[in-house]
Amino acid sequence: MGTQAWLRMAAAAAAAVALAVTAAGCGEDKDNAADATPGASAGAGSTSSTAPIKRGSITVSLYDRGTVPAEEGTMDNNRWTKWVNENGPNDVKYVTVPRFESLQKLNVLFASGSAPDLIFEYDTAYQGQLYNQKQLMPLDDLIANNSKEYKAMLDKYPTLKKAGTMDDGKLYLVGRAMDINPQHYLFIRNDWLKKLNLKVPATPEELMAVAQAFTTQDPDGNGKADTQGIGLSFVAGIVLNHMYGTGFTLFGTDQVPWILENDKVVHNWDRIKAAIQFQKDLYDAGVTDKDFVTDKNGEKQKQAWITGKLGIYGGNGADSKAYETLLKNVPDAEVIPMALPKTEFGQFSPLLSSPIQMTGMVNAAAKDPAAVIRQIDFMASEKFTKSIEFGLEGVHYKPTPQGCAEAIDGEKNKKERDYNRDMNMLQPIVGQCFGLENKVNPTPTERSLAAIVKMAKGIYMNPAAPMVGVTQKAYLPNLPQDLATINTNANKTILDAANKAIVSGKNYTVDQFMNDAKSAWDKAGGTKVDDFYAQWYVKNKESAILMADIYKMAAAQK
């Protein structure tokens, strides 16, 4: 989050809460979580007005992205980990886990009995797995007896409690409130549209026609047949599935193909069939990368986009680096977000970010759980969030009249501060100091991208063209282990068949794919998974966080 992101939040939150969401604090300064409830015992949960609080000794997990400059130390031993130990209520030993291999590392730590007391992990499926394995500690009484800051956060954002409560009715997860923003975008080169006298496509047929024109009519004017109409890998593929109203995607086995139909949760195969058929048509028309199946993370597609050779691109958020690189390579490029074309199933939007993000858990084997709660409170405090997000006042930032923060030396901050972001995984990202559009002293490129973000919000945050599904994946119940295994194994077979259908021409049709997909699902026991979600909805539709609730929260932020 940008340097300004915080202070405003701090100003708005300081009194009540805060952004206590914390364990990693919101980024600005949320004072005094260290002075959690006076007299909270170091052991479990009682409070006393006279007994002093014993300083604790705990372990905390921390993502390591390999971004710490050598002169700053290491991810578990640097200026900010030292600051935490100098200013917080506990002696903290950080246990680092590779960001993109975190689950493997955490599994090893649990297996060896050395998992951290306080665990931070974004993966909601893994959170559910740890809960099902009884590796997590319930937090209701601990928070009631030992917390001030995070307890205030639960009062301010009651959805935090709803999202952190598991099916036994107890609270196991801590997290943060977040502004709702478009998470996935479908970008199009508007300058190419103008050059070829085309309009933004509003139907699948028009999308195909534009992709063909971008591929064959030399939109970059270099006299070579070297442009590509549309991306199909990673986010682009996800977005094209959402265009047809299905959460089934070509990447990952954790699929969400269920929708609400006549107030019932159903596995909608018709939408999957239509989505795969359209992508097969794009592939057969030669308007996309023939090797998209191997482009698992979309990096090859991104390279085509930023070098000015791709006309329609599915992006993961407002990627400022990608946008800046595109403009360096093609200064006259004009990019706009486009609404997803309307299909026979209706009109939908790509993913929005979650209004609540659950990020933290307490190890069931933690020896001093009250100390862990006090650490969560400290991370929710203004002091923690401000310092971790902005650095030190007068050294890394100066306050603005609006109550935000302005960097004093951006290059200094890149070296001394920017690597610490994952210490703020409980940081609420809410308020008028957050987001590119609120950045202090933006560059011309940032102003241009902020206008794109504003346009995307107008297009994608419309409840008349909603996100797909019953709710966002993070708010669906965790499958029991046996059903999770069925879901994973069946979807691996189905995904392989879907990709095969797209690239195989007449040798493997979409009808054949559908027969094989349904057969694989049924043979694996997938109907049990369907029944699980259907029954969950019937029992919990009055209390669960559903799609309508998310749009209400989005409206409340405007």
Side-chain angles (χ1 to χ4, degrees):
M1 0 174 44
T3 251
Q4 11 138 24
W6 178 86
L7 267 173
R8 179 127 163 221
M9 167 207 98
V17 337
L19 305 166
V21 95
T22 50
C26 183
E28 298 300 340
D29 193 347
K30 281 181 186 160
D31 232 32
N32 262 343
D35 69 75
T37 306
S41 80
S46 61
T47 60
S48 159
S49 59
T50 57
I53 299 175
K54 179 183 177 182
R55 185 172 180 81
S57 179
I58 66 171
T59 53
V60 178
S61 77
L62 179 60
Y63 284 143
D64 189 345
R65 299 175 188 263
T67 57
V68 182
E71 58 269 36
E72 286 289 295
T74 59
M75 197 65 242
D76 60 345
N77 183 18
N78 55 68
R79 73 174 66 224
W80 300 109
T81 61
K82 292 173 183 175
W83 182 91
V84 169
N85 281 292
E86 291 167 358
N87 291 274
N90 299 301
D91 296 323
V92 176
K93 178 182 178 182
Y94 283 99
V95 179
T96 60
V97 296
R99 170 61 186 98
F100 298 106
E101 297 177 3
S102 59
L103 306 191
Q104 298 93 310
K105 176 66 178 288
L106 288 170
N107 282 337
V108 170
L109 292 171
F110 273 107
S112 64
S114 56
D117 300 315
L118 180 55
I119 304 155
F120 288 101
E121 171 56 52
Y122 287 122
D123 192 309
T124 56
Y126 190 67
Q127 295 168 0
Q129 176 183 319
L130 294 180
Y131 164 74
N132 287 330
Q133 294 172 347
K134 302 188 183 305
Q135 301 276 23
L136 304 182
M137 183 176 292
L139 305 178
D140 304 80
D141 291 343
L142 283 162
I143 289 173
N145 294 324
N146 298 281
S147 171
K148 180 169 72 175
E149 300 284 351
Y150 194 75
K151 188 189 298 183
M153 278 302 298
L154 292 175
D155 290 340
K156 182 171 186 178
Y157 301 108
T159 311
L160 274 175
K161 183 173 179 66
K162 184 184 287 191
T165 298
M166 295 301 199
D167 57 16
D168 65 356
K170 297 178 181 178
L171 180 69
Y172 288 87
L173 306 175
V174 294
R176 58 183 174 183
M178 303 181 71
D179 282 337
I180 304 175
N181 291 292
Q183 182 171 328
H184 288 168
Y185 291 66
L186 191 60
F187 296 109
I188 190 167
R189 285 286 298 275
N190 197 41
D191 54 317
W192 285 12
L193 289 174
K194 292 175 180 177
K195 180 175 181 179
L196 301 179
N197 197 27
L198 298 169
K199 63 179 182 179
V200 176
T203 67
E205 294 76 18
E206 291 178 1
L207 182 59
M208 171 65 81
V210 168
Q212 289 175 320
F214 283 174
T215 304
T216 63
Q217 296 182 26
D218 191 25
D220 64 350
N222 70 350
K224 300 177 182 179
D226 59 353
T227 54
Q228 221 174 76
I230 187 170
L232 202 55
S233 60
F234 199 40
V235 173
I238 293 172
V239 171
L240 291 177
N241 278 277
H242 289 172
M243 185 176 93
Y244 281 90
T246 177
F248 175 83
T249 74
L250 296 177
F251 299 90
T253 56
D254 188 15
Q255 299 290 325
V256 190
W258 300 277
I259 63 168
L260 269 182
E261 203 170 76
N262 299 321
D263 202 37
K264 294 181 180 179
V265 172
V266 298
H267 192 138
N268 194 291
W269 294 101
D270 291 341
R271 298 184 181 196
I272 295 174
K273 179 180 179 180
I276 298 303
Q277 182 65 63
F278 182 70
Q279 289 166 83
K280 183 180 182 70
D281 293 342
L282 290 172
Y283 188 88
D284 289 345
V287 300
T288 193
D289 179 18
K290 289 295 185 183
D291 299 320
F292 84 92
V293 173
T294 61
D295 189 20
K296 300 296 185 183
N297 62 2
E299 190 57 33
K300 184 180 179 184
Q301 177 184 244
K302 180 187 282 190
Q303 288 303 309
W305 174 252
I306 64 178
T307 54
K309 297 302 179 183
L310 179 63
I312 303 171
Y313 169 63
N316 193 359
D319 188 337
S320 57
K321 289 184 179 179
Y323 184 63
E324 183 175 3
T325 304
L326 170 63
L327 293 185
K328 285 181 179 178
N329 291 323
V330 189
D332 295 331
E334 182 184 346
V335 175
I336 60 172
M338 58 173 282
L340 302 192
K342 186 176 182 179
T343 71
E344 65 266 38
F345 302 102
Q347 187 167 26
F348 304 95
S349 289
L351 284 179
L352 300 179
S353 62
S354 300
I356 296 293
Q357 184 179 47
M358 309 314 294
T359 57
M361 306 158 278
V362 178
N363 190 339
K367 294 181 173 59
D368 192 350
V372 178
I373 299 301
R374 290 197 293 274
Q375 189 67 24
I376 289 172
D377 255 27
F378 176 53
M379 295 172 76
S381 71
E382 183 178 345
K383 181 175 184 176
F384 183 97
T385 56
K386 180 176 181 179
S387 299
I388 298 301
E389 172 63 19
F390 293 106
L392 304 178
E393 182 175 350
V395 177
H396 300 100
Y397 79 92
K398 58 184 179 181
T400 69
Q402 297 78 21
C404 297
E406 180 179 358
I408 294 174
D409 184 338
E411 291 304 312
K412 178 183 179 68
N413 287 355
K414 286 180 182 179
K415 184 180 76 172
E416 295 184 0
R417 189 207 62 190
D418 287 1
Y419 64 82
N420 73 5
R421 290 299 185 252
D422 291 312
M423 298 177 75
N424 256 352
M425 284 177 64
L426 282 181
Q427 169 184 21
I429 305 176
V430 293
Q432 297 180 15
C433 281
F434 290 91
L436 188 62
E437 62 269 38
N438 295 310
K439 184 172 183 179
V440 177
N441 297 325
T443 65
T445 299
E446 288 170 337
R447 280 196 297 271
S448 175
L449 185 56
I452 293 173
V453 171
K454 183 178 181 180
M455 187 184 302
K457 287 183 177 181
I459 296 171
Y460 296 148
M461 295 179 69
N462 178 8
M467 287 183 289
V468 175
V470 180
T471 186
Q472 288 179 317
K473 186 168 70 173
Y475 307 136
L476 285 171
N478 295 296
L479 290 169
Q481 192 59 52
D482 58 331
L483 297 187
T485 301
I486 289 172
N487 192 47
T488 297
N489 293 341
N491 278 317
K492 185 179 187 308
T493 301
I494 293 170
L495 287 171
D496 290 343
N499 282 309
K500 178 182 175 182
I502 291 172
V503 303
S504 296
K506 295 179 180 179
N507 293 326
Y508 188 65
T509 67
V510 173
D511 285 334
Q512 288 174 294
F513 156 68
M514 289 302 298
N515 288 334
D516 291 345
K518 290 178 180 178
S519 176
W521 186 251
D522 291 342
K523 287 179 180 178
T527 55
K528 296 178 183 177
V529 180
D530 295 337
D531 291 343
F532 174 85
Y533 284 121
Q535 293 171 17
W536 165 80
Y537 177 73
V538 170
K539 295 177 182 177
N540 298 280
K541 62 182 179 180
E542 300 301 327
S543 59
I545 301 172
L546 301 178
M547 203 63 81
D549 299 313
I550 293 169
Y551 279 95
K552 287 179 183 176
M553 286 185 263
Q557 290 180 2
K558 293 180 180 179

